[in-house]
Amino acid sequence: MLDIIYYPVSGILWVWHKVFGAVLGDDNGIAWALSVMFLVFTLRAILYKPFVKQVRTTRQMQELQPQIKALQKKYSKDRQRMALEMQKLQKEHGFNPVMGCLPVLLQAPVFIGLFHVLRSFNRTGTGYGGLGMSVEENANTANYWFSATDVQSFLSARLFGAPISSYITMPKETLESFGAYGTVPTVANIAAVAVPLMIIASVATHFNSRASVARQSAAAAANPQSAIMNKLALWVFPLGVLVGGPFLMIAILLYWVSNNIWTYAQQHLVFRKIDAEEDAKKQAALERRADNAPKPGARPSLDKKKKAAPSSQVVDAESTDAETSETGESSADERTGSGGGSTGQQRPKPKPRPAANRPKSNKRKRR
């Protein structure tokens, strides 16, 4: 049913085992351990871009928190309208909530696939995941991409005396099945390898969570839901590695340690890159603002007055022409004498008629 996950995971593990086995030997436990670690590194490299988008989505969600809270307050009584407005806000800013959890969703099938493939190297038990095979049947049965020879190589490999598919609470009959291809491991051998890996994985999980929490904004950290998740990430998840470690195979603990190592390095590189980009944007915005602002001691720009000057000059010219035309006519009248006389004489102004000589109005006659 989940072969679509099991075959790719086993294929990547097979490639890395061939690489390290060619150098260290096929039956070498360190070669198998490095194969598991580089399987993790390969998958995390594939998920690098989704991780960067996850970080950017988280930053963007923190920036949109004031607007989200305003919408929640405004449409607190109308859930449907609130959902529509939230979708509209996310669409305007290109915000995709799925990208925030995509890397985690993609890592979960990988973890399940690796756990199943590693467990399938030894199928002699009758408990959970065991098929009840005999030692001979198990050693001669292929495991997805791994042939029967590869299965025997895995059973023969020891990491400091412990098979990497063993765990502290493994049943005794399952441990004895390793005896056909090497020494039978004891619980002490397995614990000597598993316990340090459990502690390293737990501490690394705590510090990775601490780095993520430290980069949260004050508003996001004050959110009750975020506060609960932060406590879980800081203390409960690391404690879960210690509690569940005895039930996890050494290879799974190697997966956990490798995953935390990659996460620690990737977080610092990605966060540093994004911080540099944001600082560059802020610096560019400050430079643009400084270029647009007037310099100290400089007078205001007169561009608007200069642009308005030609139109005012046209108006002044028209008014001047009108005045000159009027003055020209009046001066011509003044220069013209009565009866076409000399230009030096001025025409006398007519005296007002006396009231007696004024013509009577026609209105009186009509009455």
Side-chain angles (χ1 to χ4, degrees):
M1 181 179 178
L2 295 177
D3 287 349
I4 193 174
I5 298 173
Y6 301 150
Y7 273 101
V9 171
S10 63
I12 297 172
L13 184 63
W14 179 85
V15 170
W16 283 116
H17 174 252
K18 293 301 179 183
V19 171
F20 292 109
V23 178
L24 301 174
D26 291 338
D27 299 342
N28 190 288
I30 296 177
W32 279 100
L34 290 174
S35 301
V36 173
M37 296 178 69
F38 276 79
L39 164 67
V40 177
F41 296 156
T42 302
L43 297 171
R44 290 302 302 271
I46 295 172
L47 297 176
Y48 175 77
K49 287 187 176 181
F51 176 80
V52 175
K53 291 183 179 180
Q54 177 193 12
V55 175
R56 295 186 186 278
T57 300
T58 305
R59 292 284 185 92
Q60 193 175 16
M61 185 171 60
Q62 293 177 0
E63 295 175 357
L64 294 177
Q65 278 299 317
Q67 300 181 43
I68 292 174
K69 289 183 178 179
L71 289 176
Q72 291 174 346
K73 184 177 180 180
K74 184 177 181 180
Y75 301 105
S76 59
K77 297 181 180 180
D78 190 350
R79 296 289 181 181
Q80 186 176 2
R81 181 67 183 277
M82 183 193 299
L84 292 174
E85 293 296 331
M86 292 283 285
Q87 291 178 359
K88 183 178 179 182
L89 179 65
Q90 293 171 2
K91 187 176 181 180
E92 288 177 355
H93 292 82
F95 175 72
N96 189 0
V98 178
M99 296 306 301
C101 54
L102 183 60
V104 177
L105 294 176
L106 293 177
Q107 287 183 58
V110 173
F111 180 84
I112 295 172
L114 179 62
F115 182 82
H116 177 76
V117 170
L118 292 173
R119 185 182 58 189
S120 298
F121 278 108
N122 193 337
R123 294 151 288 190
T124 57
T126 56
Y128 176 74
L131 299 179
M133 291 184 178
S134 64
V135 175
E136 292 77 12
E137 288 177 342
N138 179 69
N140 292 287
T141 303
N143 182 20
Y144 297 100
W145 274 87
F146 294 97
S147 64
T149 304
D150 295 329
V151 172
Q152 296 170 16
S153 172
F154 183 88
L155 295 173
S156 301
R158 297 290 185 272
L159 183 64
F160 304 109
I164 63 172
S165 63
S166 61
Y167 51 93
I168 296 175
T169 58
M170 178 174 278
K172 185 178 179 181
E173 61 272 12
T174 308
L175 288 176
E176 291 177 352
S177 65
F178 287 100
Y181 298 92
T183 58
V184 176
T186 63
V187 176
N189 294 137
I190 299 171
V193 180
V195 171
L197 291 175
M198 289 162 51
I199 295 173
I200 294 172
S202 179
V203 173
T205 303
H206 172 77
F207 279 102
N208 283 332
S209 301
R210 183 182 290 271
S212 299
V213 171
R215 293 183 175 274
Q216 290 181 353
S217 62
N223 189 354
Q225 295 180 353
S226 299
I228 294 173
M229 290 302 299
N230 291 340
K231 290 181 180 179
L232 291 174
L234 286 172
W235 306 108
V236 178
F237 294 162
L239 184 62
V241 178
L242 291 176
V243 174
F247 303 93
L248 297 176
M249 289 181 283
I250 292 176
I252 296 299
L253 295 174
L254 285 170
Y255 166 88
W256 207 291
V257 172
S258 306
N259 193 54
N260 279 285
I261 292 172
W262 182 279
T263 301
Y264 185 83
Q266 184 174 256
Q267 274 186 346
H268 283 75
L269 291 174
V270 172
F271 285 138
R272 186 181 301 174
K273 179 181 177 181
I274 293 177
D275 290 341
E277 291 176 357
E278 292 183 354
D279 291 340
K281 289 180 181 179
K282 291 179 181 178
Q283 187 64 27
L286 291 175
E287 290 177 357
R288 287 195 301 268
R289 187 180 300 174
D291 293 339
N292 295 331
K295 296 181 179 180
R299 293 182 178 181
S301 178
L302 301 177
D303 293 340
K304 293 183 179 181
K305 293 184 178 180
K306 290 180 180 179
K307 291 179 181 180
S311 60
S312 61
Q313 290 178 359
V314 172
V315 175
D316 294 341
E318 292 177 354
S319 60
T320 304
D321 293 340
E323 290 177 358
T324 52
S325 62
E326 291 177 359
T327 54
E329 291 177 358
S330 62
S331 61
D333 293 339
E334 291 175 356
R335 287 194 301 269
T336 305
S338 60
S342 63
T343 59
Q345 295 179 357
Q346 294 182 355
R347 187 175 179 179
K349 295 181 181 180
K351 297 180 179 180
R353 296 180 182 180
N357 297 332
R358 291 180 182 176
K360 296 181 179 180
S361 175
N362 297 328
K363 291 182 181 181
R364 293 181 181 179
K365 293 180 180 180
R366 289 177 184 176
R367 288 178 183 177

